[in-house]
Each structure stands twice: as C-alpha cells, then as structure tokens.
Amino acid sequence: MGGQYRITGDKYPRMRPPRRRARMAGIVVVCGAVLGVAGWGTLQLVDVFTGGGGTASAAAAKACATTKSGAVASASPVVLPKPAQITVNVYNATTRSGLAKTTADELKKRGFKVGQVGNASAAFDKKVTGVGVLVGAGASVKTSLPVVGVQVPAAERRVDAERVADGAVDLVIGDGFKGLAVRGDAERALAALAAPKAVAVVKKGC
C-alpha cells in the first residue's frame, strides 16, 4: 500500500459466508423433510393394505400357525353294529374240506351270528386265489361289512346291488386263507374303527 491509502471512519467490512453455501444447506434440509414425510406416508399405506404394522402381522401369522397346527375338532363317534347283530354266511371256495365249518365256529366264539355254512357257489368255487371275498349289500359298506372285515383284513370287499339290505355278510374263503385275524388285533382294529377322529381346523383368512 505504501501508506497511500488509509481506512478512516468507524465502519469496517464484515466477513460473510458465501450465499451459495447457505442456499445449498437450505435445499438439503427441505429435501430431508420431504423424504421423511414420503417415508411415513408409505409406511401408513403398507399398514392399511397389510392389516397392521409389523407387530400385528407377526401376531396374526403366529395365530394362523397355531390354528393350523393345534386346533382340532372331534368328529362324532361312528355307530357300528355289534357282532351279535351281524349274520355271517361262510362259504368254502377251496379244495380243503371242513374250512367253512371251523371258520364259522370261530366267528361264533367272537360274537357273530352264523347263517349258512357250506361250499361256495359256482361263481366263486375254486376261483378265489386270495385270502377271501366279503360280499354285502350296498347299505353294509359302512356298517356290517367293515365290522366283519377286521376279522379278515386282507379279504376283498364287494357290494352286491341285488342283495337285500339285511345286514348279512358272505365270507367266501379263498386259497390264501390261513385263518381269522388274531382276536386281540381284531378287537383293537374294531375299536379304532368306531372311535371319533380328530379333524384339523384351519381358520379362514390365514
């Protein structure tokens, strides 16, 4: 300066930050506020369409899982006829003599009524290669036929549409017959057949 210029008076220049920086700072603050509001709005929309927040959704999912895996409804017990109410006709379709009588005697010991005992008709005679065939009327499918069936679990079951619905069942003994089921096993199978079954209940909307 060389002393040519001197500052006189009581006013001095003040240092101010550039206006550009202040403007940028303001823009950043405004953008942050806008993003915050937009995020909050999005979260509310998600809650509306999903049925609640994270906690509610987790609780609902847990409730559904519990309902699917744990909730059961007991079915009504199946009413089956007693062995004493069922007549069994025993026919021998094999070449082994006396098989129908011995089987009929055992069925009688187990509480069944025994009807006709003898050789099988021409439709079955020497034509049954398996354990045997159980024949009943259409009405016996869920009544007397399964009760006799536990005594000969491997026997084939057939329905005779022309048969009178008297509850009687024909047991036609085949070549593979070795005897009736073990009595204890047959009794347990019959008890399971008549017992109510638990049915899983799934809550709608899960």
Side-chain angles (χ1 to χ4, degrees), residues 29 62 80-81 107 116 186:
V29 171
K62 184 176 180 181
L80 296 172
L107 285 171
Q116 299 181 20

Side-chain angles (χ1 to χ4, degrees), residues 153-171:
E156 179 187 350
R157 300 183 187 183
R158 297 183 186 179
V159 173
D160 185 354
E162 298 180 357
R163 191 184 187 94
V164 178
D166 56 0
V169 175
D170 291 349
L171 168 57

Side-chain angles (χ1 to χ4, degrees), residues 3-177:
Q4 292 181 350
Y5 301 95
R6 296 179 181 273
I7 299 174
T8 60
D10 56 356
K11 295 183 179 180
Y12 299 91
R14 296 180 180 180
M15 303 299 292
R16 295 182 179 178
R19 293 183 177 179
R20 184 175 299 175
R21 293 183 180 178
R23 185 177 300 172
M24 289 297 294
I27 292 174
V28 170
V29 171
V30 173
C31 290
V34 172
L35 290 175
V37 172
W40 181 83
T42 302
L43 180 60
Q44 295 303 311
L45 289 175
V46 171
D47 288 346
V48 169
F49 287 105
T50 58
T55 303
S57 298
K62 184 176 180 181
C64 288
T66 302
T67 302
K68 289 180 180 179
S69 61
V72 295
S74 297
S76 301
V78 179
V79 180
L80 296 172
K82 301 294 183 182
Q85 298 173 301
I86 302 173
T87 299
V88 183
N89 303 313
V90 186
Y91 302 108
N92 184 8
T94 73
T95 57
R96 292 177 285 171
S97 62
L99 196 56
K101 184 179 184 307
T102 57
T103 303
D105 290 342
E106 181 60 30
L107 285 171
K108 187 179 294 186
K109 292 178 182 178
R110 299 187 183 191
F112 291 92
K113 291 181 180 180
V114 175
Q116 299 181 20
V117 179
N119 294 325
S121 63
F124 292 103
D125 191 30
K126 301 179 181 62
K127 297 177 183 178
V128 182
T129 58
V131 170
V133 179
L134 291 173
V135 184
S140 68
V141 172
K142 295 183 179 180
T143 55
S144 56
L145 198 60
V147 174
V148 180
V150 300
Q151 307 296 329
V152 196
E156 179 187 350
R157 300 183 187 183
R158 297 183 186 179
V159 173
D160 185 354
E162 298 180 357
R163 191 184 187 94
V164 178
D166 56 0
V169 175
D170 291 349
L171 168 57
V172 182
I173 300 173
D175 295 332
F177 184 79

